[in-house]
Amino acid sequence: MNNQQIDIKFPKAGIFLIVIVVIAIIFISKATITIDGGERGVLYETLGSGIVTDRPALDEGFQFMAPWNKVQRFNVRQQEFFDQMKVLSSNGLDIQLDATIWYQPQQENLGFLYKEKGIDYLQTIIRPALRSATREVVGRYTPEEIYSSKRAIIQKEIFDETKLILDSQYVQINQVLVRDVTLPQTIRDAIERKLRQEQEALEYEFRLIKAEKEAEKQVIEAEGKAKSNRILSASLNDKILRDKGIEATLKLSLSPNSKIIIIGSGKDGLPIILGNQ
């Protein structure tokens, strides 16, 4: 049995159409890009001047471009970076400080950021700026100040120093948070012991002040009573005393208790009340 060879011939028009379709698919894939939410795209013109800095970055969504150009995406949302640093205090002691920085690129300057700082701008400019600012600020304070009362002030100063360094670097610094400060155990124990002693001294001083105030209060009350008695003694006479005695006798006579009242037999002519006991 002879094998029969079957030749399949495509029309030239069909081959040409297939080529056109393939070229169109390649062209569309190269000439379009989708920028995701929270991103912006910096255009690189291969046949032009390179990174585009004189026009806004490509917005999120479906975008067209020349197929020979490229687009670099940038996350423009607020981002977080955590760093652990060993720095020196004002008296030369090692301190470990954990800090978090919130940052994001300036959207209007993405082209310059890409051109001058590159994609990994976090490691090339933000982290060095944060470390430099932290060393500068912590070096102004003692371990005791850092550990206790000055942490909020130190945090603000680190933010201000970092922002000052990065203001001209096309990035935006939103906040710096000092999360933890770790001192050598011996230094921490000494600080806690000192703080405890200071607290005890303040408590003792408070008790002394309270006792002094209480003594002053008692003196004032005694002086007030003495003055009141002097005024009362000066205002009393025999007639007033008799009137008061009669008034008290009348009130007692109205009492339901059994009693005997002898009129005019008491001292100074006041009545005498004899009870049934």
Side-chain angles (χ1 to χ4, degrees), residues 16-263:
F16 179 75
L17 180 61
I18 293 174
V19 172
I20 294 297
V21 170
V22 172
I23 293 175
I25 293 173
I26 295 173
F27 180 85
I28 292 173
S29 65
K30 294 290 186 181
T32 60
I33 187 172
T34 300
I35 307 297
D36 295 332
E39 292 184 342
R40 297 295 183 274
V42 177
L43 186 64
Y44 179 87
E45 295 181 335
T46 305
L47 302 180
S49 57
I51 297 174
V52 175
T53 57
D54 57 351
R55 297 196 301 273
L58 300 179
D59 205 350
E60 58 188 42
F62 192 73
Q63 303 289 343
F64 288 94
M65 64 179 184
W68 49 83
N69 291 338
K70 300 177 182 178
V71 173
Q72 176 62 51
R73 294 181 176 88
F74 280 87
N75 183 354
V76 295
R77 293 191 179 104
Q78 177 176 279
Q79 301 167 70
E80 179 184 63
F81 173 69
F82 170 76
D83 200 5
Q84 289 183 328
M85 295 163 277
K86 281 192 175 181
V87 291
L88 297 179
S89 64
S90 61
N91 54 3
L93 292 175
D94 284 333
I95 295 174
Q96 180 174 304
L97 188 144
D98 299 347
T100 295
I101 185 170
W102 294 344
Y103 70 96
Q104 60 192 121
Q106 297 175 357
Q107 295 189 36
E108 66 276 13
N109 291 316
L110 278 179
F112 292 103
L113 178 64
Y114 184 29
K115 188 179 186 70
E116 298 180 18
K117 311 303 175 183
I119 301 173
D120 195 17
Y121 61 91
L122 170 62
Q123 297 296 331
T124 57
I125 58 174
I126 293 180
R127 188 181 186 189
L130 176 62
R131 285 176 166 258
S132 175
T134 303
R135 285 193 297 269
E136 177 69 24
V137 171
V138 172
R140 303 170 189 164
Y141 296 94
T142 64
E144 180 180 351
E145 292 172 326
I146 298 170
Y147 187 70
S148 56
S149 60
K150 300 291 186 180
R151 183 175 299 195
I153 297 175
I154 291 170
Q155 178 174 287
K156 184 180 183 304
E157 290 184 0
I158 294 175
F159 169 76
D160 292 339
E161 292 281 348
T162 306
K163 188 174 183 299
L164 184 63
I165 296 173
L166 295 176
D167 267 347
S168 60
Q169 304 299 314
Y170 316 119
V171 293
Q172 175 181 317
I173 302 304
N174 298 331
Q175 187 60 275
V176 172
L177 304 174
V178 175
R179 300 176 59 176
D180 190 26
V181 176
T182 304
L183 306 179
Q185 186 63 43
T186 54
I187 301 299
R188 188 162 63 249
D189 291 343
I191 291 174
E192 291 177 351
R193 187 164 54 250
K194 181 180 178 182
L195 292 174
R196 186 166 56 251
Q197 291 171 352
E198 290 177 351
Q199 187 64 33
E200 291 173 354
L202 289 174
E203 184 179 354
Y204 179 71
E205 183 179 352
F206 173 77
R207 289 200 301 268
L208 290 179
I209 294 174
K210 184 178 179 180
E212 184 178 350
K213 295 291 184 182
E214 186 66 27
E216 291 177 357
K217 178 183 176 182
Q218 292 177 359
V219 170
I220 293 172
E221 289 178 351
E223 291 176 349
K225 289 180 180 179
K227 184 177 180 181
S228 176
N229 291 334
R230 287 195 301 270
I231 294 173
L232 181 61
S233 297
S235 64
L236 295 177
N237 53 46
D238 292 342
K239 185 177 183 303
I240 292 175
L241 291 174
R242 282 197 301 271
D243 290 343
K244 293 291 185 181
I246 293 171
E247 182 180 345
T249 302
L250 291 175
K251 289 181 179 179
L252 289 172
S253 68
L254 298 176
S255 171
N257 298 326
S258 300
K259 63 189 75 63
I260 299 173
I261 301 177
I262 303 174
I263 303 299

